Amino acid sequence: MSEIRSLALACREAVPAIAALDSAAKAALLHDMAASLEARCADVLAANARDMQDAAAKGVQGAMLDRLRLDEARVAGIAAALREVAGLPDPVGLVTRRETRPNGLVVERVRIPLGVVAMIYEARPNVTADAAALCLKAGNAVILRGGSEAIHSNTAIAAALHEALRAHGLPEATVTLVEDLRRETMVELLQLTDIVDLAIPRGGEGLIRFVAEHARVPVIKHYKGVCHLYVDRTADPGLALNLLIDGKTSRPGVCNALETLLVHRDAAVAFLPHAVEALRARGVELRGDDTSRALVPDMHAATDEDYAAEFLDLILAVRVVDDLDEAIAHIRRYGSDHTEVIATRDAAAAQRFVQAIRSAVVMVNASSRFSDGGELGLGAEIGISTTRLHAYGPMGAESLTVERFVVRGDGQVRHPVSR
Amino acid sequence: MSEIRSLALACREAVPAIAALDSAAKAALLHDMAASLEARCADVLAANARDMQDAAAKGVQGAMLDRLRLDEARVAGIAAALREVAGLPDPVGLVTRRETRPNGLVVERVRIPLGVVAMIYEARPNVTADAAALCLKAGNAVILRGGSEAIHSNTAIAAALHEALRAHGLPEATVTLVEDLRRETMVELLQLTDIVDLAIPRGGEGLIRFVAEHARVPVIKHYKGVCHLYVDRTADPGLALNLLIDGKTSRPGVCNALETLLVHRDAAVAFLPHAVEALRARGVELRGDDTSRALVPDMHAATDEDYAAEFLDLILAVRVVDDLDEAIAHIRRYGSDHTEVIATRDAAAAQRFVQAIRSAVVMVNASSRFSDGGELGLGAEIGISTTRLHAYGPMGAESLTVERFVVRGDGQVRHPVSR
């Protein structure tokens, strides 16, 4: 048996123990993990210093180096996140429906854990603790396969989590960190269909496409967020401008930032020059269609690629549309099923937009930046799904469970038995 | 562009129209499909006669030939099933949760269609209408890829469905029947990740494994049902015997039939000889462990393969276990995650069984044969999932939808904008 298979099997064997813990025991475990992480802060920072040194030697710099970096405050933040997950409601055991059938059978739908979740991620070491916490909260065992840049940090964090598992009499394999980071080992992990119930890749589009292409186990993923704001004919101009500035500039590097502005032609003359001025004052570059460019001087021409792009930067594609239908058609063509926003005072237009757009999150008169598990009330987020299966949009602990059937009777049979 | 890709693209382009229909319009469409099928009954039977002739010429016989066969009563049955689906509640648009966040955002979870569902199935022509009906009910477009044995029957049934689609101003591509039945074409269909949202294979284990292996689109499947009845120490012997006879003999060829009987050692002496007598009187062959064989004369020895087998026949594997824990361990080792039953009068034992067993359906004092969409209140069934993702257990129309987020605000932004 290969090493990764035997690691994964040990993780699967840990499932019954974690799945059987009640809410109080899981919360206590997560609190102890937080305490253990704080107690081992010096070890974690020493390990992180090695990763930072190796990364610097390889020429890594800028945002990527910053994602890797830990300090006391960041370790405290990871511990705080563990305690936050401890305090969330427990999705396991929740009875979502109960029905008594005409024959007296009582049919319940009850949430149970998925089993073994494999997290595939890149440089951020905090994911090691965050993902483990959400998986455990939902009664799952977890296999963590992080990036090679963070291997020492991840190992030190996992050691802290293992200490708490041991103290609770649980096998360390409940949280399994993969230390063999070869690509072929990851591919083998992603094909263990008899062991792994779900793989969740988090990181750049390259990693996610690699996972989607090689996995034979189910994968929940999102490639990118090409989020749209449509400013309707009846939009409140001040409100629309606030949504635009917040969506584009408050954190341009994240997936729920705006990438494209669509403006109804009747609103464009008043709205667009004003909006462009406000965006340019904040360093935003604009790329527009001919109509926008006629209204605003010095705007670059937008290409098809611009309308499909997740810029993750202070760049915004702009288009003036004839009506709501054209806005919907544009989003259907270029959208990524992530998050779309309409600014309007017309309830019927809002309703038509909500019904016609099939994205995971549709907002009416609210910023795209709220498309986030914490902001939408999930407490914490393990990822965002743009796959219309199992979960669609931000995923919290509940998305790491599934509903099954529990049926109670008093001897009912399908065909009466004569004896 | 390949032919299958352009067929599938046309199907995807039909999604907005079917997704936008309200409940009344969908019900009317399904009623008209039923009427159209009845009106074209002679065409369907003539096409079926060709399929039957071809199959007979190829030497097909027995149960397989019977699955292919249509007559007036069976066509009437298909029409009745369409009308039944018409009458089911519409899952689309259902608001499953609504919460107002502290900042005033109103966050709803709303069910929407998946999009394009690909059904891959074998000889039964009724699946063409049944699967189309459930997909349409949930607002989806559907690609149907049936078996070559039923191609003429399927084409005639699809023609009847298309007639009703045309009468409602909907594109025929909403229900797309694949007529190119080469395996490589099916593989191409199963890899159209930008078009197909879900593939559901229905048929023998060989077909399902082929689909699971080649698909890059999400697949929901079940390979087999190795269903267990555990007769606890405190079980009511008469009740347990009824569950056993119903589970094993009422329809042995289906996936929710019992395949293995586990008996607590304290119950075995009284229960087992009596049970074996009743089963043998119904033609059931038994294969047991040493303890069972000591209690019952002339029982064959059970092998590991027997305990893992879905016999789909009048054969039952038997094992005497020391206690509930050993029964749970047996099911964990040999089970297929489909359906397991406990017969007991001990509420604590029932609860422990329900919590420890992670199968899609767990029954207490009820026959495994109720593990069926219709019997559990789903109205109709598109399949049974033993994949712990999206749906687990019998799947009805609701399983062909997904929850997304609809957020309504009055200008909320994440970071206050100063202008």
Side-chain angles (χ1 to χ4, degrees):
Chain A
M1 192 184 306
S2 73
E3 201 182 336
I4 186 72
R5 185 173 175 84
S6 75
L7 267 179
L9 263 182
C11 185
R12 194 185 67 172
E13 277 157 24
V15 165
I18 184 73
L21 288 192
D22 65 20
S23 304
K26 284 187 286 194
L29 173 64
L30 292 170
H31 277 288
D32 286 352
M33 284 180 161
S36 168
L37 192 66
E38 286 171 336
R40 287 162 167 264
C41 182
D43 292 355
V44 171
L45 294 183
N48 184 248
R50 285 182 63 187
D51 286 333
M52 292 290 288
Q53 214 165 6
D54 293 352
K58 280 183 197 145
V60 175
Q61 47 187 333
M64 195 161 163
L65 203 61
D66 185 62
R67 278 201 286 272
L68 181 58
R69 192 175 60 81
L70 293 178
D71 55 24
E72 275 190 41
R74 286 188 177 185
V75 173
I78 298 173
L82 286 169
R83 294 190 176 101
E84 202 185 311
V85 172
L88 294 178
D90 185 348
V92 176
L94 204 70
V95 177
T96 57
R97 274 169 284 187
R98 179 182 286 122
E99 187 197 357
T100 303
R101 302 290 303 157
N103 62 3
L105 287 181
V106 179
V107 179
E108 289 181 348
R109 307 278 194 102
V110 186
R111 293 204 165 275
I112 60 167
L114 297 179
V116 173
V117 177
M119 288 294 307
I120 315 289
Y121 53 104
E122 290 182 328
R124 291 178 195 270
N126 62 302
V127 176
T128 303
D130 291 355
L134 269 171
C135 288
L136 298 174
K137 181 80 194 186
N140 299 288
V142 61
I143 300 174
L144 300 162
R145 196 281 189 192
S148 57
E149 314 82 3
I151 185 65
H152 298 108
S153 313
N154 289 341
T155 305
I157 292 170
L161 305 182
H162 288 159
E163 184 176 61
L165 285 168
R166 283 196 306 274
H168 284 255
L170 293 163
E172 288 185 9
T174 310
V175 176
T176 295
L177 182 74
V178 178
E179 293 179 18
D180 171 358
L181 301 181
R182 288 174 300 172
R183 283 244 149 166
E184 60 264 35
T185 304
M186 173 165 55
V187 169
E188 194 183 342
L189 171 65
L190 292 170
Q191 303 193 343
L192 296 174
T193 51
D194 55 336
I195 301 179
V196 175
D197 293 285
L198 173 65
I200 303 178
R202 272 178 66 172
E205 200 177 334
L207 175 77
I208 295 170
R209 288 204 183 273
F210 183 87
V211 169
E213 196 167 309
H214 291 88
R216 297 295 167 270
V217 306
V219 176
I220 291 185
K221 60 186 177 289
H222 95 270
Y223 289 126
K224 56 182 184 175
V226 182
C227 304
H228 295 77
L229 167 64
Y230 167 60
V231 177
D232 191 31
R233 196 176 52 83
T234 66
D236 175 315
L239 181 151
L241 188 55
N242 282 345
L243 301 188
L244 177 61
I245 294 173
D246 190 59
K248 184 67 255 182
T249 70
S250 64
R251 205 169 160 202
V254 293
C255 61
N256 61 17
L258 287 177
E259 305 294 4
T260 298
L261 167 68
L262 303 170
V263 188
H264 191 290
R265 63 189 301 171
D266 294 350
V269 179
F271 182 75
L272 208 48
H274 193 47
V276 168
E277 190 189 329
L279 289 170
R280 283 184 173 160
R282 289 165 173 83
V284 179
E285 178 196 329
L286 294 125
R287 302 179 186 175
D289 67 329
D290 290 346
T291 314
S292 317
R293 295 172 73 212
L295 291 171
V296 175
D298 306 323
M299 196 190 284
H300 287 289
T303 62
D304 245 32
E305 287 69 43
D306 288 325
Y307 288 128
E310 184 184 35
F311 296 114
L312 296 175
D313 203 349
L314 289 174
I315 305 171
L316 182 74
V318 181
R319 186 172 164 195
V320 174
V321 293
D322 282 347
D323 52 21
L324 176 58
D325 287 335
E326 200 177 31
I328 290 167
H330 180 101
I331 293 169
R332 281 194 184 145
R333 175 160 177 202
Y334 295 103
S336 62
D337 287 340
H338 193 295
T339 299
E340 328 302 340
V341 180
I342 182 172
T344 187
R345 282 183 288 202
D346 175 350
Q351 196 50 26
R352 272 224 296 142
F353 186 83
V354 167
Q355 288 191 339
I357 296 297
R358 311 197 316 128
S359 300
V361 184
V362 180
M363 307 261 188
V364 179
N365 295 328
S367 171
S368 65
R369 296 276 292 103
F370 290 110
S371 187
D372 167 280
E375 295 295 331
L376 296 183
L378 307 185
E381 184 180 290
I382 191 113
I384 293 184
S385 168
T386 57
T387 311
R388 255 185 303 278
L389 204 76
H390 185 72
Y392 195 38
M395 298 168 62
E398 190 185 285
S399 297
L400 298 170
T401 64
V402 71
E403 279 181 25
R404 58 101 168 244
F405 293 84
V406 176
V407 183
R408 292 185 176 84
D410 49 13
Q412 285 87 342
V413 295
R414 191 95 177 250
H415 296 280
V417 176
S418 58
R419 287 207 308 274
Chain B
M1 194 186 305
S2 72
E3 202 182 335
I4 186 71
R5 185 173 176 85
S6 75
L7 268 178
L9 263 182
C11 184
R12 194 185 68 170
E13 277 158 22
V15 165
I18 184 72
L21 289 192
D22 65 21
S23 303
K26 284 187 284 193
L29 172 64
L30 292 170
H31 277 287
D32 286 351
M33 285 181 162
S36 169
L37 192 66
E38 285 170 337
R40 288 163 167 261
C41 181
D43 292 355
V44 171
L45 293 183
N48 184 247
R50 286 182 64 187
D51 286 332
M52 291 291 287
Q53 215 165 4
D54 293 351
K58 279 184 198 144
V60 175
Q61 47 187 335
M64 196 163 163
L65 203 60
D66 185 63
R67 277 200 285 272
L68 182 58
R69 193 175 60 83
L70 293 178
D71 55 24
E72 274 190 40
R74 286 188 177 185
V75 173
I78 298 173
L82 285 169
R83 293 191 177 101
E84 202 185 311
V85 172
L88 294 177
D90 184 349
V92 175
L94 204 71
V95 177
T96 56
R97 273 168 284 187
R98 179 181 286 122
E99 186 197 358
T100 302
R101 302 288 304 157
N103 62 3
L105 287 181
V106 178
V107 179
E108 289 180 348
R109 307 276 195 105
V110 185
R111 292 203 166 275
I112 61 167
L114 297 179
V116 173
V117 178
M119 288 293 307
I120 315 289
Y121 53 105
E122 292 181 329
R124 292 178 194 272
N126 63 305
V127 176
T128 303
D130 292 355
L134 269 171
C135 287
L136 297 174
K137 180 80 194 186
N140 299 287
V142 62
I143 300 174
L144 300 162
R145 196 281 188 190
S148 56
E149 314 82 2
I151 184 67
H152 298 107
S153 314
N154 290 341
T155 305
I157 292 170
L161 306 182
H162 288 160
E163 185 177 60
L165 285 167
R166 283 196 305 273
H168 284 256
L170 294 163
E172 289 185 8
T174 311
V175 176
T176 295
L177 182 73
V178 178
E179 294 179 17
D180 171 358
L181 300 182
R182 289 174 299 172
R183 283 244 149 165
E184 60 263 35
T185 304
M186 173 165 55
V187 169
E188 195 184 340
L189 170 64
L190 292 170
Q191 302 192 344
L192 297 174
T193 50
D194 56 335
I195 301 179
V196 175
D197 292 285
L198 173 65
I200 304 178
R202 271 177 68 172
E205 200 176 334
L207 175 77
I208 295 170
R209 288 204 183 273
F210 183 87
V211 169
E213 196 167 307
H214 291 88
R216 296 296 167 273
V217 305
V219 176
I220 291 186
K221 59 185 177 289
H222 94 271
Y223 289 125
K224 56 181 183 176
V226 182
C227 304
H228 296 75
L229 167 63
Y230 167 59
V231 177
D232 191 31
R233 197 174 53 81
T234 65
D236 176 315
L239 180 151
L241 188 55
N242 282 346
L243 301 188
L244 178 61
I245 293 172
D246 190 59
K248 183 67 256 181
T249 70
S250 65
R251 205 169 161 201
V254 293
C255 61
N256 61 18
L258 287 178
E259 306 294 3
T260 298
L261 167 68
L262 303 171
V263 188
H264 191 289
R265 60 189 303 169
D266 295 349
V269 180
F271 182 75
L272 207 50
H274 192 46
V276 167
E277 190 189 328
L279 289 171
R280 283 186 173 156
R282 289 165 173 83
V284 178
E285 178 196 330
L286 294 125
R287 301 179 186 174
D289 67 330
D290 290 344
T291 313
S292 319
R293 295 172 74 212
L295 291 172
V296 175
D298 307 323
M299 196 190 284
H300 287 289
T303 63
D304 245 32
E305 287 70 42
D306 288 325
Y307 288 128
E310 184 184 34
F311 296 114
L312 296 174
D313 202 349
L314 289 174
I315 305 171
L316 183 73
V318 181
R319 186 172 165 196
V320 174
V321 293
D322 283 347
D323 51 21
L324 176 58
D325 287 336
E326 201 178 30
I328 290 167
H330 181 101
I331 293 169
R332 279 192 185 148
R333 175 161 176 201
Y334 294 103
S336 63
D337 287 341
H338 193 294
T339 299
E340 328 301 341
V341 180
I342 182 173
T344 187
R345 282 183 288 203
D346 175 350
Q351 195 50 25
R352 271 223 296 142
F353 186 83
V354 167
Q355 288 192 339
I357 297 297
R358 311 196 315 128
S359 300
V361 183
V362 180
M363 307 263 189
V364 178
N365 295 327
S367 170
S368 65
R369 297 276 291 103
F370 290 111
S371 187
D372 166 282
E375 295 294 333
L376 296 184
L378 307 184
E381 183 180 291
I382 190 110
I384 293 185
S385 167
T386 56
T387 311
R388 255 186 302 279
L389 204 77
H390 185 72
Y392 195 37
M395 297 167 63
E398 189 185 286
S399 297
L400 298 171
T401 65
V402 70
E403 280 181 24
R404 60 100 168 244
F405 293 83
V406 175
V407 182
R408 291 183 176 85
D410 50 11
Q412 285 87 343
V413 294
R414 192 95 176 250
H415 295 279
V417 176
S418 60
R419 288 207 304 277

